[in-house]
Amino acid sequence: MVTTAVARKLLIGGEWVETGEWIEVLSPYDGASVGRVPKAGAGETRRALDAAEKAMREPIPAHERAAILDRVSALLSEHADDAARTISAEAGKPMKAARVEASRAVSTFTMAAVEARKLAGDVVPMDASPAGAGKLAFTLRQPVGIVGAISPFNFPLNLVAHKVAPALAAGCAVVLKPASRTPLSALLLAELETEAGLPAGWLNVVCGPAEEIGDVLVDDERVKLITFTGSAPIGWKLRERAARKRVNLELGNATPVIVAADADLDDAAERLAANAFSFAGQSCISIQRIYIERRSYDDFLERFLPRVEALAVGDPAEEETDVGPLITASDRDRILAWIEEAKAGGADVLTGGTLDGELLLPTVIAGAPPDAKVSCEEVFGPLCTVTPFDTLDEAIVLANSTRFGLQAGIFTGDLKNALRAAQSLEFGGVTVNEAPTFRADQMPYGGVKDSGNTREGPAYAVREMTEERLVILQL
Ligand code: NAP
């Protein structure tokens, strides 16, 4: 029986574990306690690795792994309301966005089950060279080994799903460390996996001090792959330290979008207003920089600003809320300081820029200097800049003027320009006539430059989490 009850336990080797110490999970909206989880450390993490190692000694056949993943998907669907409420309570995510996340996690498991069923290697055309004549060869896709998974606060269910589901599809046991501010969704998922019949040790969840747990995952040779989603400095540092492991990084962005004068401006304004501020901009692909062709700059803003101002700001538990709190007050204060810095550099705040109670209002800034933090750092808040441009080439240079490269977008009625932008924007994904905040879970999703080095989406993650083993037969 799954509940959203406040106290959850860690999962290690199939047992629900307490440690005697607790992490309090606080609502980002009003600071109330929404739950607590046991605080683990290096010892529990090593025990989790022991359990994962033991589990992998008895591999689960692919059809059984697929059946378990399908059952998790069905259970998640059944408990979607619990899941959405848990996400909303611990992350401060408005219910409508939390419901979308819960339903996306259902799909992530369904698609991982498909990948488990079709996991296969390739036949190697041995007679294509004289050296191979008389031989038959093929590859097997073997699980890479124990996966250490580290997940962020902002999609506490679906980004855990994007690590755990492909790992299980690939036949890898997992030690998961969820974000300390949002561990409840991950433990709810662990309850569902257990209920779905996942044998002991295949999923282990430890919550606690990031560095202590991270150090064990980095240092222990049994962990063959670390999959990390979070901020760029922490991710790249982990990769440096774990030189002998695969370290797959899904990191941040300062998402740009180009709006050409020949675009459907109403449609662009609608999609961008919704996607720059949803979950208070705390998505790695939240719209941050909008470049608008100068001759339609005023027309676009006339359509965009009223839509931004119409967004409902308030309690994330309310069904009509669009924009809730930032994860911490210090993040809110950081963004307020960045707004002041932009203003001191000559920027104008077109809307927002102030608080409604404790909540930062959706903020649109014009004329931000290119070196202001709102222009070049990841804001991760309900803020976007608007900047005019004259030519598509100029817009592409502006969009590319960032160390990040996760997703970008263009709105245009000209297919040739859309394709030119798609080829020239240095990002892992480019959307055309859709906000670059769009993600469906089967997509190859990930970045270039500082934004990461891998692609998630079950099909792509399973490939990363398996090794090719070559088998050669002498005929
Ligand atoms: P974060 O502060 O980097 O934390 C991410 C995870 O790393 C958390 O579990 C955190 O644990 C852990 N961590 C922190 N320090 C660590 C260390 N020294 N060793 C090992 N683990 C460590 O990121 P966040 O604030 O939760 O999430 C926001 C960031 O994630 C943004 O930059 C966003 O763009 C990025 N993101 C990227 C994607 C993507 O798919 N590309 C998706 C979502 C979010 P604690 O919570 O215990 O500190």
Side-chain angles (χ1 to χ4, degrees), residues 150-154 159 177-181 208 210-211 214 228-231 234 238 250-252 284 378 380 406 445:
I150 301 176
S151 57
F153 79 83
N154 64 332
L159 289 181
K177 193 213 95 58
S180 296
R181 285 165 295 188
E211 236 174 290
F228 174 89
T229 301
S231 53
I234 295 176
L238 266 178
E250 290 280 358
L251 310 172
C284 44
E378 181 181 35
F380 223 58
L406 188 50
Y445 179 77

Side-chain angles (χ1 to χ4, degrees), residues 284-302:
C284 44
I285 39 176
S286 189
I287 313 287
Q288 183 173 328
R289 300 176 289 140
I290 308 181
Y291 298 106
I292 306 144
E293 194 164 350
R294 196 177 302 274
R295 65 195 158 93
S296 60
Y297 184 77
D298 291 338
D299 287 349
F300 174 78
L301 288 182
E302 252 172 45

Side-chain angles (χ1 to χ4, degrees), residues 12 17 32 63 111 120 193 195 210 241 243 280 293 347 447 449:
I12 300 177
V17 173
H63 71 92
M111 283 176 295
E193 303 226 6
E195 196 175 330
R241 291 179 44 225
E293 194 164 350
K449 295 159 76 178

Side-chain angles (χ1 to χ4, degrees), residues 51 83 185 239 249 270 376 387 420 451 473:
S185 305
R239 177 152 183 264
L249 302 175
E270 183 74 30
C376 52
T387 308
R420 185 144 68 89
S451 293
L473 306 182

